[in-house]
Amino acid sequence: MSETSARLLSLLSLLQARRDWPGGLLAERLEVSPRTVRRDVDRLRDLGYPVRATKGPDGGYRLDAGADLPPLLFDDDQAIAVAVALQTATTTVTGIEEGALRALATVRQVMPARLRQRVDALQVTTVDKYADSRRTKVDSEHLIAIGTALRAHEVLRFDYASPGVTEWVPPRKVEPHHLVTWGGRWYLVAWDLDRDDWRTFRVDRMLPKTPTGPRFTPRELPAPDVSTYIASKFTGKNQWPCRGEAILQAKAADIAQWAGRDAIVEEITETSCRLILNGWSWTGLAATFGMFEAELEFVGPAELKNAAAQLAIRYANS
């Protein structure tokens, strides 16, 4: 690879890494003159990358989104991560399977041979813990329409088919806030303007309408974050008689693999996490916490701590 080509790739990688770059700092990182940086920026523009000059005391550059998708630059770790993500996307979320497969084929085709061999050797099989009957097809155009209104903070209008009803309900008007997946399905979390309350809608039952409505200022969710909100909606929080919390000395990602659908796992540090579980009895709940091979500290409530103490005595005497 020529020195100029290598430098262009380095420049592109830097521009993708952060939003704004002062021209002097780019020249320093690339060990060239500001004039050479300007020439290299012009070369990237000729290749289709929308690099915009920014104003300021030092001047600088920003890589903007373009009308066309020019070649992307990934390092080895990013390329493998993209390939693995696309593999799992074909089986974990409905509605994007075909697009994910085509994207995976495209990414693999442009990979250097050494990376392609590593990706081919890393075949990921996703075992869906939810029944296939729960998986429903979603129109990708509907996802795009909903996502566009969400990003623009514009009121979304759509017809909606309620459970057990074959006909579409007249247009609903909502302020879209989050587009999420749960149990293999897509959901929209939104503020319902007609009912003056938060609602969760299944995307496969939505038929977005155009044009969208006026812009709005996003409201605060009645939860610390969207994952907690969704979990409280779908875990049957109010149906479980027992609910407890503990701190585990383990990585959140490791615990989340086995915690179950009703669990809430929150990372505290790289090696510790907060785990909230539901159960039918305090003894059963304490035993569930104990199945994880990690040191733990019960946060509460008192009934959970008492049940854990009783279990400890029972095991010690066995």
Side-chain angles (χ1 to χ4, degrees), residues 131-159:
D132 288 340
S133 60
R134 287 184 53 84
R135 302 175 64 82
T136 50
K137 186 70 175 177
V138 174
D139 192 317
S140 60
E141 292 298 323
H142 292 176
L143 281 175
I144 293 174
I146 295 169
T148 300
L150 191 155
R151 287 190 299 273
H153 301 313
E154 294 177 345
V155 171
L156 179 67
R157 299 182 305 118
F158 58 91
D159 292 339

Side-chain angles (χ1 to χ4, degrees), residues 22-56:
L25 183 56
L26 277 177
E28 180 181 337
R29 293 289 294 271
L30 295 171
E31 298 181 350
V32 296
S33 67
R35 182 179 181 182
T36 300
V37 171
R38 290 195 294 270
R39 289 178 176 176
D40 287 346
V41 166
D42 288 338
R43 292 189 179 98
L44 288 179
R45 289 169 177 161
D46 291 340
L47 292 173
Y49 293 94
V51 183
R52 179 160 60 91
T54 59
K55 298 180 180 180

Side-chain angles (χ1 to χ4, degrees), residues 188-228:
L188 173 68
V189 177
W191 176 264
D192 194 316
L193 292 171
D194 295 324
R195 290 156 179 79
D196 198 31
D197 195 8
W198 290 97
R199 291 289 190 273
T200 303
F201 303 93
R202 274 179 48 175
V203 174
D204 60 290
R205 292 175 176 166
M206 296 173 59
L207 184 62
K209 305 181 74 67
T210 56
T212 53
R215 291 177 60 86
F216 63 88
T217 301
R219 306 168 190 261
E220 289 190 8
L221 277 171
D225 51 59
V226 68
S227 60
T228 302

Side-chain angles (χ1 to χ4, degrees), residues 2-266:
S2 69
E3 180 180 348
T4 300
S5 299
R7 194 175 62 246
L8 284 178
L9 290 176
S10 297
L11 174 58
L12 180 57
S13 180
L14 290 173
L15 290 171
Q16 290 179 161
R18 56 185 276 184
R19 181 172 176 81
D20 293 298
W21 277 95
L25 183 56
L26 277 177
E28 180 181 337
R29 293 289 294 271
L30 295 171
E31 298 181 350
V32 296
S33 67
R35 182 179 181 182
T36 300
V37 171
R38 290 195 294 270
R39 289 178 176 176
D40 287 346
V41 166
D42 288 338
R43 292 189 179 98
L44 288 179
R45 289 169 177 161
D46 291 340
L47 292 173
Y49 293 94
V51 183
R52 179 160 60 91
T54 59
K55 298 180 180 180
D58 301 326
Y61 301 96
R62 173 186 301 172
L63 182 62
D64 286 341
D68 299 315
L69 184 65
L72 299 176
L73 175 66
F74 295 122
D75 60 28
D76 289 10
D77 290 341
Q78 289 174 321
I80 292 174
V82 168
V84 172
L86 289 172
Q87 283 190 50
T88 57
T90 62
T91 56
T92 54
V93 181
T94 55
I96 62 171
E97 299 91 341
E98 181 182 350
L101 283 173
R102 288 190 288 109
L104 178 59
T106 301
V107 170
R108 183 187 176 281
Q109 183 177 2
V110 298
M111 281 182 174
R114 56 183 174 79
L115 278 187
R116 192 180 307 126
Q117 292 174 359
R118 294 176 63 185
V119 169
D120 289 346
L122 187 61
Q123 294 297 320
V124 180
T125 300
T126 302
V127 179
D128 193 354
K129 62 182 177 181
Y130 306 109
D132 288 340
S133 60
R134 287 184 53 84
R135 302 175 64 82
T136 50
K137 186 70 175 177
V138 174
D139 192 317
S140 60
E141 292 298 323
H142 292 176
L143 281 175
I144 293 174
I146 295 169
T148 300
L150 191 155
R151 287 190 299 273
H153 301 313
E154 294 177 345
V155 171
L156 179 67
R157 299 182 305 118
F158 58 91
D159 292 339
Y160 193 67
S162 299
V165 178
T166 57
E167 297 181 357
W168 294 99
V169 176
R172 306 283 291 268
K173 291 189 300 181
V174 304
E175 297 175 354
H177 281 259
H178 292 88
L179 191 61
V180 301
T181 61
W182 179 271
R185 288 175 176 163
W186 288 94
Y187 292 91
L188 173 68
V189 177
W191 176 264
D192 194 316
L193 292 171
D194 295 324
R195 290 156 179 79
D196 198 31
D197 195 8
W198 290 97
R199 291 289 190 273
T200 303
F201 303 93
R202 274 179 48 175
V203 174
D204 60 290
R205 292 175 176 166
M206 296 173 59
L207 184 62
K209 305 181 74 67
T210 56
T212 53
R215 291 177 60 86
F216 63 88
T217 301
R219 306 168 190 261
E220 289 190 8
L221 277 171
D225 51 59
V226 68
S227 60
T228 302
Y229 176 80
I230 287 293
S232 68
K233 285 290 183 181
F234 293 117
T235 58
K237 174 181 174 182
N238 297 324
Q239 300 175 14
W240 294 98
C242 304
R243 183 177 177 86
E245 177 180 342
I247 305 297
L248 276 64
Q249 298 304 314
K251 294 181 179 180
D254 294 338
I255 298 299
Q257 293 184 65
W258 311 106
R261 177 183 174 187
D262 290 347
I264 297 176
V265 183
E266 176 187 349

